[in-house]
Amino acid sequence: MRQASIFLVEDEVLIRMMLTDMVEELGHRVVAEAGNVQDALVLAETAVFDLAILDINIAGSSIVPVATIVARRGLPFFFVSGYGLAVRPEAFIERPALQKPLMLSKLGEAIDAILGIVGEASSAANDSSPNIQ
């Protein structure tokens, strides 16, 4: 399995720590993380990563400016939200999103599906991709 470098934006420290642990348990690595939009904007422009995982609501601020930078760089990303999947930003409504709290298996399927990682997890991710909304 290929190890992916992940950029993680999550404002809740404990959730960010939990997501980092989950990413590492899946064999990937969080190489940049932010807990606010200001830091996330800088990292979105400068960090080297394969995939971004973006919380939709960052302490009451929208993640849209960060997602816009990541999209402009041509890098894949998906959203996570504790408010339901209907709150995806209109500009990125087609992007995948996962509902928090996240299950390790669903996070792994989402990462594998988005990065197109080939292997045993690939067929499971394809079978369950409708769950990655």
Side-chain angles (χ1 to χ4, degrees), residues 1 4 14 16 29 35 43 45 54 59 68 75 110 123 127 130:
M1 176 174 72
L14 292 176
R16 192 167 65 244
R29 191 172 49 129
L43 290 170
E45 288 279 5
L54 308 174
T68 301
L75 296 167
S123 62
D127 293 342

PDB file of all heavy atoms in Angstrom, residues 1 4 14 16 29 35 43 45 54 59 68 75 110 123 127 130:
ATOM      1  N   MET A   1       0.843  -1.180   0.000  1.00  0.00           N
ATOM      2  CA  MET A   1       0.000   0.000   0.000  1.00  0.00           C
ATOM      3  C   MET A   1       0.887   1.243   0.000  1.00  0.00           C
ATOM      4  O   MET A   1       1.886   1.305   0.700  1.00  0.00           O
ATOM      5  CB  MET A   1      -0.901   0.008   1.232  1.00  0.00           C
ATOM      6  CG  MET A   1      -1.731   1.266   1.333  1.00  0.00           C
ATOM      7  SD  MET A   1      -2.952   1.288   2.658  1.00  0.00           S
ATOM      8  CE  MET A   1      -1.937   1.470   4.082  1.00  0.00           C
ATOM      9  N   ALA A   4       0.131   7.819   1.906  1.00  0.00           N
ATOM     10  CA  ALA A   4      -0.260   9.147   1.445  1.00  0.00           C
ATOM     11  C   ALA A   4       0.089  10.185   2.500  1.00  0.00           C
ATOM     12  O   ALA A   4       0.029   9.923   3.701  1.00  0.00           O
ATOM     13  CB  ALA A   4      -1.764   9.175   1.157  1.00  0.00           C
ATOM     14  N   LEU A  14      -9.140  17.616  20.081  1.00  0.00           N
ATOM     15  CA  LEU A  14      -9.243  16.178  20.344  1.00  0.00           C
ATOM     16  C   LEU A  14      -9.663  15.402  19.101  1.00  0.00           C
ATOM     17  O   LEU A  14      -9.165  14.300  18.853  1.00  0.00           O
ATOM     18  CB  LEU A  14     -10.205  15.910  21.504  1.00  0.00           C
ATOM     19  CG  LEU A  14      -9.716  16.390  22.870  1.00  0.00           C
ATOM     20  CD1 LEU A  14     -10.780  16.157  23.936  1.00  0.00           C
ATOM     21  CD2 LEU A  14      -8.409  15.715  23.244  1.00  0.00           C
ATOM     22  N   ARG A  16      -9.045  16.377  16.018  1.00  0.00           N
ATOM     23  CA  ARG A  16      -7.884  16.416  15.125  1.00  0.00           C
ATOM     24  C   ARG A  16      -6.863  15.358  15.541  1.00  0.00           C
ATOM     25  O   ARG A  16      -6.306  14.659  14.692  1.00  0.00           O
ATOM     26  CB  ARG A  16      -7.264  17.816  15.111  1.00  0.00           C
ATOM     27  CG  ARG A  16      -6.245  17.998  14.007  1.00  0.00           C
ATOM     28  CD  ARG A  16      -5.851  19.442  13.786  1.00  0.00           C
ATOM     29  NE  ARG A  16      -5.157  20.020  14.912  1.00  0.00           N
ATOM     30  CZ  ARG A  16      -5.614  21.036  15.647  1.00  0.00           C
ATOM     31  NH1 ARG A  16      -6.776  21.596  15.378  1.00  0.00           N
ATOM     32  NH2 ARG A  16      -4.906  21.499  16.654  1.00  0.00           N
ATOM     33  N   ARG A  29       0.181   9.384   6.603  1.00  0.00           N
ATOM     34  CA  ARG A  29       0.863  10.314   7.492  1.00  0.00           C
ATOM     35  C   ARG A  29       0.273  11.705   7.356  1.00  0.00           C
ATOM     36  O   ARG A  29       0.116  12.205   6.235  1.00  0.00           O
ATOM     37  CB  ARG A  29       2.341  10.332   7.112  1.00  0.00           C
ATOM     38  CG  ARG A  29       3.254  11.015   8.054  1.00  0.00           C
ATOM     39  CD  ARG A  29       4.683  10.779   7.636  1.00  0.00           C
ATOM     40  NE  ARG A  29       4.827  11.058   6.210  1.00  0.00           N
ATOM     41  CZ  ARG A  29       5.754  11.844   5.683  1.00  0.00           C
ATOM     42  NH1 ARG A  29       6.655  12.389   6.443  1.00  0.00           N
ATOM     43  NH2 ARG A  29       5.803  12.056   4.396  1.00  0.00           N
ATOM     44  N   GLY A  35      -5.872  24.180  12.859  1.00  0.00           N
ATOM     45  CA  GLY A  35      -7.075  24.254  13.674  1.00  0.00           C
ATOM     46  C   GLY A  35      -7.873  25.515  13.448  1.00  0.00           C
ATOM     47  O   GLY A  35      -8.888  25.741  14.095  1.00  0.00           O
ATOM     48  N   LEU A  43      -1.083  26.872   4.890  1.00  0.00           N
ATOM     49  CA  LEU A  43      -0.677  25.495   4.602  1.00  0.00           C
ATOM     50  C   LEU A  43      -1.246  24.996   3.275  1.00  0.00           C
ATOM     51  O   LEU A  43      -0.582  24.246   2.551  1.00  0.00           O
ATOM     52  CB  LEU A  43      -1.083  24.575   5.746  1.00  0.00           C
ATOM     53  CG  LEU A  43      -0.299  24.782   7.037  1.00  0.00           C
ATOM     54  CD1 LEU A  43      -0.934  24.014   8.184  1.00  0.00           C
ATOM     55  CD2 LEU A  43       1.157  24.390   6.849  1.00  0.00           C
ATOM     56  N   GLU A  45      -1.593  26.644   0.649  1.00  0.00           N
ATOM     57  CA  GLU A  45      -0.730  27.213  -0.401  1.00  0.00           C
ATOM     58  C   GLU A  45       0.650  26.588  -0.430  1.00  0.00           C
ATOM     59  O   GLU A  45       1.232  26.437  -1.493  1.00  0.00           O
ATOM     60  CB  GLU A  45      -0.560  28.724  -0.180  1.00  0.00           C
ATOM     61  CG  GLU A  45      -1.771  29.546  -0.479  1.00  0.00           C
ATOM     62  CD  GLU A  45      -1.962  29.860  -1.954  1.00  0.00           C
ATOM     63  OE1 GLU A  45      -1.200  29.354  -2.806  1.00  0.00           O
ATOM     64  OE2 GLU A  45      -2.882  30.618  -2.255  1.00  0.00           O
ATOM     65  N   LEU A  54     -10.848  18.034   5.072  1.00  0.00           N
ATOM     66  CA  LEU A  54     -11.265  19.355   5.531  1.00  0.00           C
ATOM     67  C   LEU A  54     -12.587  19.316   6.287  1.00  0.00           C
ATOM     68  O   LEU A  54     -13.613  18.901   5.734  1.00  0.00           O
ATOM     69  CB  LEU A  54     -11.423  20.289   4.318  1.00  0.00           C
ATOM     70  CG  LEU A  54     -10.243  20.375   3.343  1.00  0.00           C
ATOM     71  CD1 LEU A  54     -10.616  21.222   2.134  1.00  0.00           C
ATOM     72  CD2 LEU A  54      -9.009  20.919   4.046  1.00  0.00           C
ATOM     73  N   ALA A  59     -14.618  26.546  13.532  1.00  0.00           N
ATOM     74  CA  ALA A  59     -14.901  27.552  14.568  1.00  0.00           C
ATOM     75  C   ALA A  59     -15.835  28.642  14.037  1.00  0.00           C
ATOM     76  O   ALA A  59     -15.624  29.831  14.260  1.00  0.00           O
ATOM     77  CB  ALA A  59     -13.607  28.145  15.109  1.00  0.00           C
ATOM     78  N   THR A  68     -10.824  26.065  -1.935  1.00  0.00           N
ATOM     79  CA  THR A  68     -10.568  26.716  -3.223  1.00  0.00           C
ATOM     80  C   THR A  68      -9.086  26.653  -3.587  1.00  0.00           C
ATOM     81  O   THR A  68      -8.729  26.360  -4.728  1.00  0.00           O
ATOM     82  CB  THR A  68     -11.064  28.177  -3.190  1.00  0.00           C
ATOM     83  OG1 THR A  68     -12.467  28.177  -2.909  1.00  0.00           O
ATOM     84  CG2 THR A  68     -10.800  28.890  -4.502  1.00  0.00           C
ATOM     85  N   LEU A  75      -5.200  19.313  -6.215  1.00  0.00           N
ATOM     86  CA  LEU A  75      -5.025  18.234  -5.252  1.00  0.00           C
ATOM     87  C   LEU A  75      -6.387  17.739  -4.768  1.00  0.00           C
ATOM     88  O   LEU A  75      -7.317  18.521  -4.604  1.00  0.00           O
ATOM     89  CB  LEU A  75      -4.190  18.727  -4.070  1.00  0.00           C
ATOM     90  CG  LEU A  75      -2.754  19.115  -4.436  1.00  0.00           C
ATOM     91  CD1 LEU A  75      -2.093  19.875  -3.311  1.00  0.00           C
ATOM     92  CD2 LEU A  75      -1.962  17.873  -4.800  1.00  0.00           C
ATOM     93  N   ALA A 110     -12.519   5.995   2.061  1.00  0.00           N
ATOM     94  CA  ALA A 110     -12.542   7.303   1.404  1.00  0.00           C
ATOM     95  C   ALA A 110     -11.161   7.678   0.883  1.00  0.00           C
ATOM     96  O   ALA A 110     -11.014   8.111  -0.264  1.00  0.00           O
ATOM     97  CB  ALA A 110     -13.063   8.372   2.371  1.00  0.00           C
ATOM     98  N   SER A 123     -11.404  -2.967  -3.858  1.00  0.00           N
ATOM     99  CA  SER A 123     -12.718  -3.502  -4.200  1.00  0.00           C
ATOM    100  C   SER A 123     -13.727  -3.188  -3.116  1.00  0.00           C
ATOM    101  O   SER A 123     -14.885  -2.892  -3.404  1.00  0.00           O
ATOM    102  CB  SER A 123     -12.647  -5.009  -4.448  1.00  0.00           C
ATOM    103  OG  SER A 123     -12.232  -5.680  -3.283  1.00  0.00           O
ATOM    104  N   ASP A 127     -17.156  -0.999  -3.671  1.00  0.00           N
ATOM    105  CA  ASP A 127     -18.460  -1.519  -3.274  1.00  0.00           C
ATOM    106  C   ASP A 127     -19.195  -0.561  -2.356  1.00  0.00           C
ATOM    107  O   ASP A 127     -20.417  -0.495  -2.375  1.00  0.00           O
ATOM    108  CB  ASP A 127     -18.304  -2.861  -2.544  1.00  0.00           C
ATOM    109  CG  ASP A 127     -17.805  -3.953  -3.458  1.00  0.00           C
ATOM    110  OD1 ASP A 127     -17.888  -3.790  -4.688  1.00  0.00           O
ATOM    111  OD2 ASP A 127     -17.323  -4.961  -2.928  1.00  0.00           O
ATOM    112  N   PRO A 130     -20.881   4.517  -2.584  1.00  0.00           N
ATOM    113  CA  PRO A 130     -22.065   5.334  -2.371  1.00  0.00           C
ATOM    114  C   PRO A 130     -22.152   5.901  -0.962  1.00  0.00           C
ATOM    115  O   PRO A 130     -22.784   6.906  -0.740  1.00  0.00           O
ATOM    116  CB  PRO A 130     -23.222   4.369  -2.662  1.00  0.00           C
ATOM    117  CG  PRO A 130     -22.632   3.353  -3.573  1.00  0.00           C
ATOM    118  CD  PRO A 130     -21.198   3.218  -3.117  1.00  0.00           C
TER     119      PRO A 130
END
